[in-house]
């Protein structure tokens, strides 16, 4: 399961528009991993960028305010960043991600990725999680794409969050 794979991981790379549900569901696990010195990288859409307007087109009539959800996720992960600044990394990118991805131990032979593709005007509930092992081009593509977006994204420091 996703939980089991993340629990065994030494490194996590997660990206998505806001990852709000993921953060709520796995916050305790993230804190445990950060406390143990494991690296967790979070890449979110920039709540001050144009991407939030594009998401509204993707999900017309949706009651979610994505910029607020991103800010809530940032604030929640910011708590961990303040406590464990060497373990938590956050970046923001003004880009309409085609998917959310959870990349687990990307540099290890047992690494894997869970991917949830975003849909266009089909509703958020239509997205499905897919499991992909590290043994293939799709996993390599997911991690390479994450690395490219990470380099282009703006770094968020612990100073960004209130004390």
């Amino acid at each position: 399961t996703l939980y089991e794979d993340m629990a065994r991981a030494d490194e996590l790379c997660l990206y998505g528009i806001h990852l709000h549900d993921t953060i709520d569901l796995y916050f305790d696990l993230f804190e445990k991993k950060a406390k143990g010195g494991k690296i967790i990288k979070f890449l979110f859409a920039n709540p001050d960028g144009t991407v939030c307007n594009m998401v509204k087109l993707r999900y017309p009539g949706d009651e979610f305010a994505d910029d607020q959800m991103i800010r809530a996720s940032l604030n929640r992960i910011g708590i961990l960043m303040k406590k464990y600044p060497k373990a938590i990394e956050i970046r923001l990118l003004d880009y309409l991600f085609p998917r959310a991805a959870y990349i687990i131990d990307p540099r290890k032979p047992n690494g894997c990725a869970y991917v949830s593709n975003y849909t266009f005007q089909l509703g958020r509930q239509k997205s499905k999680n897919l499991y992909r092992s590290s043994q293939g081009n799709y996993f390599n593509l997911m991690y390479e794409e994450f690395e490219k977006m990470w380099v282009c994204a703006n770094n968020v420091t612990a100073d960004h969050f209130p004390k």
Side-chain angles (χ1 to χ4, degrees):
T1 67
L2 176 59
Y3 180 88
E4 291 166 338
D5 284 334
M6 287 196 304
R8 71 162 166 78
D10 290 324
E11 180 182 6
L12 297 172
C13 302
L14 298 91
Y15 74 89
I17 300 294
H18 51 70
L19 301 174
H20 193 268
D21 293 339
T22 300
I23 291 165
D24 282 349
L25 190 59
Y26 299 113
F27 186 83
D28 292 340
L29 176 64
F30 296 149
E31 183 165 27
K32 181 180 176 184
K33 299 203 79 52
K35 186 176 184 178
K38 307 301 182 190
I39 302 298
I40 310 174
K41 296 179 178 181
F42 292 92
L43 179 61
F44 301 105
N46 187 334
D48 297 319
T50 58
V51 68
C52 289
N53 290 327
M54 289 184 267
V55 171
K56 289 176 188 169
L57 177 62
R58 182 180 274 173
Y59 301 119
D62 194 76
E63 72 280 359
F64 290 102
D66 287 282
D67 60 331
Q68 292 173 8
M69 305 242 335
I70 296 166
R71 288 180 212 292
S73 294
L74 280 169
N75 289 334
R76 194 101 193 268
I77 295 304
I79 293 167
L80 294 181
M81 181 181 242
K82 287 283 218 191
K83 288 170 82 172
Y84 312 105
K86 293 183 178 176
I88 302 293
E89 298 178 37
I90 304 171
R91 294 200 182 176
L92 301 175
L93 186 62
D94 192 19
Y95 177 68
L96 186 60
F97 303 129
R99 68 191 62 83
Y102 315 95
I103 305 168
I104 298 159
D105 282 333
R107 290 181 268 281
K108 288 187 169 183
N110 65 339
C112 61
Y114 288 81
V115 177
S116 178
N117 290 306
Y118 295 136
T119 58
F120 185 78
Q121 297 192 353
L122 297 176
R124 294 176 196 266
Q125 70 279 3
K126 297 284 185 176
S127 296
K128 302 290 183 198
N129 279 332
L130 303 173
Y131 175 80
R132 297 289 186 233
S133 76
S134 64
Q135 305 300 315
N137 290 336
Y138 193 72
F139 174 84
N140 294 335
L141 173 68
M142 291 299 100
Y143 185 56
E144 185 177 341
E145 180 178 60
F146 173 83
E147 286 186 311
K148 298 288 185 189
M149 290 188 296
W150 189 257
V151 167
C152 292
N154 296 316
N155 192 40
V156 176
T157 64
D159 297 335
H160 177 87
F161 305 101
K163 296 195 183 235

